[in-house]
């Protein structure tokens, strides 16, 4: 790498061809005038360690980490941020001469989208998080930091939801259960953190979880403005306010970009471009 070479960043996943991260970071780089490149890399689980070490040794500055590497990437870092350690998952790697640091910007991205872009009030609210996989792990802590009245994690596998809530029991307001044991209460916010939508499915929630006052957020996103299966289901059961995960995707990327480059990009223009298809 010469002094004039652009700083190198990228995303690693398997598969990764669907990723919108190169588009988003390319947009941010142009907007903020950064001399950098951002490429996607399809890296199988067996190649994760050699790829990351080689990328760092070649002078690479940072990587985003997506499915299925978010948990295993934690074993490659010299240091973990507090939020990545709490989540037990890494979505951002920062690289310098001293080594590799792991961070997790998913939760901050979701909270920023909810509170800043969508004006959803989290303080004192009743929140239902559906799903207990990697995405749920990343967002439970940051949601609890906003002091909801109660946060229920409901999973198809009740034991996983229960185990996840157990990691946060010091907050007091959190409980885990199966989808068939969701407490009967009017939730202010229901977040779909499952991958059910990838198969065109909707998690088997009781319709009573949704009232006209419930804000429904689907971390998954359709293509452009197409509605996701979960949001179609929620609307049929009376939900009047909803959003899909484009805003979280863009806000978590902005958070990573700021960690890497020390400059916060505006998120509105790229969000509008993505939603437009
Ligand atoms: P994981 O594979 O780690 O977890 C998937 C979760 O979904 C598990 O809890 C699984 O349950 C549950 N699940 C899958 N199918 C069903 C179903 N039919 N009914 C009920 N539960 C189901 O995936 P991630 O957590 O990493 O990702 C989840 C979703 O969030 C994906 O669609 C991903 O694209 C999206 N995401 C969006 C982001 C954004 O920026 N907008 C960021 C990160 C993720 P079980 O434990 O029983 O298998």
């Amino acid at each position: 790498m010469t002094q004039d070479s652009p700083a190198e960043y990228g995303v690693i996943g398997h598969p990764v061809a669907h990723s919108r991260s190169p588009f988003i970071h390319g947009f941010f780089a142009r907007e903020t005038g950064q001399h950098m490149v951002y490429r996607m890399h399809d890296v199988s689980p067996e190649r994760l360690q050699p790829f990351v070490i080689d990328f760092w040794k070649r002078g690479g500055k940072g990587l985003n980490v997506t499915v299925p590497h978010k948990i295993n990437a934690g074993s490659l870092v010299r240091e973990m941020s507090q939020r990545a350690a709490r989540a037990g998952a890494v979505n951002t790697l920062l690289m310098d001469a001293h080594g590799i640091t792991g961070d997790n910007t998913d939760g901050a991205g979701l909270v920023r989208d909810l509170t800043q872009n969508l004006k959803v009030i989290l303080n004192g609210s009743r929140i239902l998080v559906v799903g207990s996989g990697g995405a749920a792990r990343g967002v439970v802590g940051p949601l609890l930091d906003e002091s909801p009245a109660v946060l229920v994690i409901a999973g198809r596998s009740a034991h996983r939801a229960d185990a996840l809530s157990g990691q946060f029991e010091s907050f007091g307001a959190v409980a885990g259960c199966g989808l068939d044991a969701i407490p009967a209460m009017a939730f202010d916010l229901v977040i779909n953190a499952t991958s059910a939508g990838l198969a065109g499915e909707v998690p088997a929630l009781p319709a009573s979880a949704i009232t006209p006052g419930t804000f429904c957020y689907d971390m998954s996103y359709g293509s452009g403005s197409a509605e996701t299966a979960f949001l179609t289901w929620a609307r049929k059961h009376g939900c009047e306010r909803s959003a899909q995960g484009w805003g979280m995707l863009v806000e978590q990327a902005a958070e990573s970009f700021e960690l890497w480059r020390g400059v916060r990009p505006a998120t509105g223009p790229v969000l509008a471009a993505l939603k437009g298809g």
Side-chain angles (χ1 to χ4, degrees):
M1 197 169 84
T2 70
Q3 224 175 359
D4 286 340
S5 308
E8 194 175 340
Y9 297 89
V11 54
I12 50 172
H14 185 67
V16 78
H18 63 282
S19 174
R20 305 309 303 270
S21 293
F23 174 76
I24 296 170
H25 284 281
F27 207 103
F28 288 163
R30 285 191 296 281
E31 178 192 306
T32 58
Q34 298 294 303
H35 189 44
M36 59 182 278
V37 290
Y38 186 105
R39 300 191 177 99
M40 72 170 93
H41 305 277
D42 193 323
V43 177
S44 63
E46 314 80 72
R47 288 181 52 236
L48 175 66
Q49 178 170 13
F51 179 88
V52 170
I53 301 298
D54 183 58
F55 185 87
W56 170 59
K57 284 189 173 162
R58 285 190 291 109
K61 297 292 180 207
L63 289 168
N64 282 132
V65 180
T66 187
V67 179
H69 302 311
K70 285 188 182 182
I71 293 172
N72 291 340
S75 66
L76 305 177
V77 306
R78 183 182 59 105
E79 210 179 308
M80 284 261 235
S81 70
Q82 195 219 353
R83 56 191 180 178
R86 192 165 62 158
V90 162
N91 83 333
T92 306
L93 297 173
L94 298 95
M95 298 161 172
D96 63 19
H98 304 293
I100 305 173
T101 302
D103 204 340
N104 191 319
T105 64
D106 278 340
L110 173 67
V111 167
R112 196 172 172 101
D113 190 35
L114 286 168
T115 59
Q116 308 285 308
N117 300 339
L118 301 165
K119 309 295 179 211
V120 174
I121 294 165
L122 300 178
N123 187 296
S125 65
R126 289 152 299 189
I127 302 177
L128 174 64
V129 173
V130 187
S132 51
R137 288 169 80 121
V139 304
V140 168
L143 286 170
L144 286 168
D145 287 339
E146 299 295 309
S147 306
V150 62
L151 188 150
V152 176
I153 304 167
R156 180 172 64 178
S157 313
H159 66 280
R160 288 187 71 191
D162 214 34
L164 182 57
S165 80
Q167 290 176 28
F168 294 92
E169 64 189 356
S170 61
F171 282 86
V174 59
C177 62
L179 293 176
D180 54 358
I182 294 173
M185 72 170 78
F187 289 99
D188 301 300
L189 173 63
V190 175
I191 299 171
N192 178 28
T194 75
S195 55
L198 298 177
E201 291 171 9
V202 176
L205 289 182
S208 58
I210 312 283
T211 69
T214 309
F215 192 103
C216 290
Y217 192 95
D218 196 345
M219 280 197 198
S220 307
Y221 32 84
S223 85
S225 56
E227 194 174 58
T228 63
F230 170 68
L231 293 186
T232 303
W233 175 89
R235 190 165 44 77
K236 282 190 183 144
H237 289 89
C239 167
E240 292 174 358
R241 290 194 310 144
S242 66
Q244 45 182 305
W246 290 116
M248 174 180 175
L249 180 71
V250 170
E251 295 297 344
Q252 62 79 27
E255 187 87 6
S256 298
F257 191 90
E258 186 176 9
L259 288 170
W260 289 330
R261 307 298 302 174
V263 50
R264 181 105 198 164
T267 49
V270 73
L271 187 52
L274 286 168
K275 281 183 176 170

